């Protein structure tokens, strides 16, 4: 199988290293808006670099992985579909709802599979919690508590095109909560604050946020995020039911220094520093599944329509943050863009 990769920055380079070890991938071709950067990565990994994206497609690809800048995602997905090449794209599909809807409509009108990169769906802890919930072992669900906390903030130049903390960061929590529960979010109430660098305010963004979500079965969820978690990179989920609970992300490297005088466990001396450390195995599994999708052996485990549903929740939270009022997700669907064809209760994967 010959795979192309577009975008050779931090996450693109990580994906390139992963793809070299995925069974069945015999050839990897990389491309970038900066051809010199693509060549440098190719030389490091012993793979090939294409001088341009059209040149990459001209080599005859079985699939393409998009890890370029967010602003380019939608156009690059359309380009892959024009070429008839199965495509994996890092989230988000597009920076806004109309661009995302355009990809959803195009993908559902054709026969070329598209997989969007919400890697938490492939994390062993999240999958085990989902299985426990869906099996009935936890009873009926009443509360979910999700957090995503970066150890250090991104560069100031990243913020103006990131979409903001809810769309860039918490959207992973919104997707995984839908996927885990199989339910839809109906309303949100969200707040945001800036206690750190002024470049967040300059970019009209926040460095810390919190949201209360209500699902269509009246389950409640809290979602928090920050760019300044000095203890380490912290991504966890508490799934609390009437008969039991599951805690995702509570492992030896979780950055959870305790204030209690006695503990039955100790955290490792090196807590997670980045999302790539925290979800290394999930990223590997995700790309392995994509090769099966590209080969036609299984359907996409995360379609553009699923990504759109998570974006609607993120848009609702951003609107709530700005207005200071609760927001119904249905209202955002009406004003932000049409509902995704085929969307509804969260799909499996």
């Amino acid at each position: 199988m010959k795979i192309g990769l577009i975008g050779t920055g931090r996450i693109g380079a990580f994906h390139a290293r992963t793809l070299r070890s995925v069974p069945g991938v015999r050839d990897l071709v990389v491309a970038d808006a900066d051809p010199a950067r693509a060549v440098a990565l190719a030389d490091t990994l012993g793979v090939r670099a294409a001088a341009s994206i059209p040149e990459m497609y001209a080599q005859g690809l079985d699939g393409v992985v998009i890890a370029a800048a967010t602003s380019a995602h939608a156009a690059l997905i359309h380009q892959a579909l024009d070429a008839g090449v199965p495509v994996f794209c890092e989230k988000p599909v597009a920076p806004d709802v109309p661009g995302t809807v355009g990809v959803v409509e195009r993908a559902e009108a054709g026969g070329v599979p598209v997989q969007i990169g919400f890697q938490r769906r492939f994390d062993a802890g999240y999958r085990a919690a989902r299985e426990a919930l869906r099996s009935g072992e936890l009873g009926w669900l009443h509360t979910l508590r999700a957090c995503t906390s970066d150890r250090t903030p991104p560069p100031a130049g990243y913020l103006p095109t990131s979409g903001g903390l809810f769309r860039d960061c918490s959207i992973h929590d919104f997707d995984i909560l839908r996927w885990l529960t199989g339910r839809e979010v109906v309303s949100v109430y969200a707040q945001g604050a800036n206690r750190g660098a002024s470049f967040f305010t300059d970019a009209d963004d926040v460095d810390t946020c919190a949201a209360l979500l209500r699902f269509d079965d009246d389950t409640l969820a809290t979602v928090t995020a920050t760019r300044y978690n000095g203890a380490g990179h912290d991504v966890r989920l508490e799934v609390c039911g009437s008969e039991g609970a599951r805690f995702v992300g509570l492992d030896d490297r979780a950055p959870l220094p305790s204030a209690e005088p006695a503990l039955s466990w100790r955290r490792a001396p090196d807590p997670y520093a980045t999302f790539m450390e925290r979800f290394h195995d999930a990223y590997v599994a995700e790309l392995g599944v994509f090769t099966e999708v590209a080969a036609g052996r299984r359907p996409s485990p995360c379609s553009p329509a699923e990504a759109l549903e998570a974006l609607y929740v993120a848009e609702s939270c951003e609107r709530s943050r700005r207005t200071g009022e609760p927001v119904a997700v249905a209202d955002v669907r009406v004003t932000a863009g049409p509902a995704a064809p085929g969307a509804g209760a969260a799909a499996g994967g």
Side-chain angles (χ1 to χ4, degrees), residues 263-288:
L263 285 175
S264 60
W265 58 274
R266 292 287 190 273
R267 67 179 176 87
D270 56 337
Y272 296 113
T274 68
F275 64 91
M276 287 187 289
E277 287 184 8
R278 168 66 176 84
F279 290 108
H280 174 273
D281 292 348
Y283 279 116
V284 173
E286 179 182 54
L287 288 178

Side-chain angles (χ1 to χ4, degrees), residues 317-343:
C317 288
E318 183 62 19
R319 182 177 298 185
S320 178
R321 177 182 79 83
R322 292 180 180 278
T323 63
E325 300 290 336
V327 170
V329 177
D331 292 343
V332 172
R333 290 176 183 276
V334 171
T335 58

Side-chain angles (χ1 to χ4, degrees), residues 64-149:
V64 63
V65 172
I66 296 172
T70 292
S71 59
H73 284 187
L76 290 171
I77 293 173
H78 283 291
Q79 187 178 23
L81 297 178
D82 287 343
V85 176
V87 55
F88 171 96
C89 183
E90 276 296 335
K91 69 83 191 165
V93 173
D96 55 24
V97 170
T100 304
V101 171
V103 171
V104 170
E105 293 175 343
R106 174 72 186 283
E108 294 197 345
V112 180
V114 180
Q115 179 180 337
I116 305 303
F118 282 104
Q119 84 284 354
R120 295 186 194 182
R121 295 182 177 215
F122 300 88
D123 178 78
Y126 284 104
R127 298 185 75 86
R130 183 179 192 252
E131 181 179 351
L133 176 63
R134 299 292 185 94
S135 71
E137 184 178 351
L138 306 187
W140 49 267
L141 185 63
H142 57 79
T143 305
L144 296 151
R145 303 184 189 95
C147 76
T148 298
S149 303

